[in-house]
Amino acid sequence: MEIRVGYQIEITTAQPVSCMTLLDPHPSRDGDMVSLPRPRVTSLADGSEVRVREYTDGFGNRCRRLLVPAGGVLFTSDLVVRDAGIPDQWDKQAPEILPDDLPSEVIEYMLSSRYCEVDEVSATAWNLFGSFAPGWNRVQQICNYVNAQIRFDYQFARNTRTAAQAMNERVGVCRDFTHLAIALCRAMNIPARYCNGFLGDIGVPPDPAPMDYNAWFEAYLGGKWYAFDARHNMPRIGRILVARGRDAADVPMIHTFGPHLLQRFEIVTEELAATRA
């Protein structure tokens, strides 16, 4: 199938502000591009195109840097990505790997991070999940718990909420589901990393709170990374990865080194009907 993804995001600033963004499909999806991506950044003051520099961060994500002029900018992109059109793939026999046997490059996904306080949820994690069969089953039990523990509500979004706070407050958005699941996995010595990207309501009934830009996580089992989604708690079709990191602090969609106001946020994620099998 082919999936159209894009965005129109507008921010305003009172003065020039340095900015970094992680908005576009991950380099691992470059081979799936049907149309070449050409994200644009235009000045709200005069409509001119703003110069953007691209780099790859320590997690392998595609990042862009720019100087937002006084008045602000409009970020736009519209492209088509080819996708296999199959749900997330799992191996229900995938085992956990003992910490001493893990590759060194995944160790950082076992540690506490800004939004995932492993030490604060460790006792709870072992009490809840210590008796479950290790491996895929344990990660799925964590997803079941988080899905039942947190009520999804856009009105209660808060960008400072941590995993432990989400567990106690029992409300949040997809990043809160993801942070809590990651923290619980890490507490059980299962490496877990934060992912975000485009995810439309493809192959599922219409949702009154439709998805467009979503957070999920990957757990390292049996020597491979597998996608899990504590928010939806079911395999989904058409995830278009944008970025991975330890938690949301590593992969902000837009981060300015100074104040800005978000004025417009429109995301497109839709299957192109002409490609439907």
Side-chain angles (χ1 to χ4, degrees):
M1 68 167 56
E2 293 180 352
I3 301 174
R4 178 185 172 220
V5 297
Y7 51 80
Q8 295 191 56
I9 304 172
E10 181 180 303
I11 64 171
T12 56
T13 60
Q15 59 192 27
V17 175
S18 295
C19 175
M20 62 169 286
T21 68
L22 293 94
L23 288 170
D24 303 294
H26 191 268
S28 61
R29 298 304 300 258
D30 283 354
D32 299 324
M33 299 295 178
V34 175
S35 58
L36 292 177
R38 191 180 184 280
R40 299 187 63 207
V41 185
T42 53
S43 167
L44 295 178
D46 60 16
S48 62
E49 191 157 352
V50 177
R51 175 175 174 262
V52 175
R53 294 166 287 169
E54 185 174 308
Y55 71 97
T56 301
D57 68 12
F59 299 101
N61 302 314
R62 174 179 287 121
C63 307
R64 294 187 167 95
R65 298 175 59 190
L66 64 146
L67 180 65
V68 177
V73 293
L74 173 65
F75 300 92
T76 59
S77 180
D78 194 337
L79 58 98
V80 176
V81 181
R82 186 178 297 107
D83 190 79
I86 59 176
D88 302 321
Q89 298 297 291
W90 291 334
D91 177 0
K92 295 186 178 182
Q93 306 304 314
E96 293 177 22
I97 298 177
L98 294 175
D100 197 52
D101 295 327
L102 287 168
S104 297
E105 61 269 21
V106 308
I107 294 297
E108 64 184 318
Y109 300 110
M110 296 264 284
L111 307 176
S112 289
S113 56
R114 165 68 178 86
Y115 291 106
C116 301
E117 327 93 314
V118 176
D119 50 347
E120 291 197 31
V121 303
S122 181
T124 298
W126 282 98
N127 286 336
L128 290 173
F129 310 111
S131 62
F132 285 109
W136 175 88
N137 176 69
R138 182 173 276 158
V139 178
Q140 186 55 52
Q141 294 298 333
I142 288 172
C143 288
N144 294 345
Y145 168 80
V146 174
N147 183 266
Q149 181 76 5
I150 300 178
R151 175 173 58 86
F152 184 89
D153 195 327
Y154 279 126
Q155 302 304 313
F156 287 88
R158 189 175 79 242
N159 63 6
T160 59
R161 182 182 287 118
T162 68
Q165 290 170 344
M167 183 166 63
N168 293 329
E169 295 174 21
R170 304 191 66 169
V171 67
V173 292
C174 57
R175 62 179 268 159
D176 301 307
F177 286 76
T178 301
H179 283 148
L180 179 53
I182 287 173
L184 292 170
C185 283
R186 292 177 185 172
M188 302 303 297
N189 295 325
I190 301 170
R193 61 188 183 186
Y194 185 95
C195 302
N196 65 16
F198 299 94
L199 178 64
D201 289 324
I202 298 173
V204 296
D207 190 327
M211 288 290 101
D212 41 39
Y213 206 84
N214 197 48
W216 62 91
F217 73 101
E218 293 175 342
Y220 191 79
L221 299 168
K224 293 179 60 178
W225 290 101
Y226 292 93
F228 289 85
D229 189 334
R231 157 71 174 99
H232 297 104
N233 204 26
M234 63 180 292
R236 294 293 297 264
I237 297 171
R239 294 187 196 275
I240 309 297
L241 178 71
V242 168
R244 298 184 179 103
R246 293 166 298 184
D247 59 29
D250 290 331
V251 292
M253 295 181 66
I254 298 173
H255 180 82
T256 56
F257 298 90
H260 76 269
L261 293 175
L262 179 65
Q263 303 289 0
R264 182 180 182 186
F265 186 81
E266 298 176 7
I267 303 292
V268 173
T269 309
E270 60 186 12
E271 179 188 358
L272 296 182
T275 68
R276 190 184 301 273

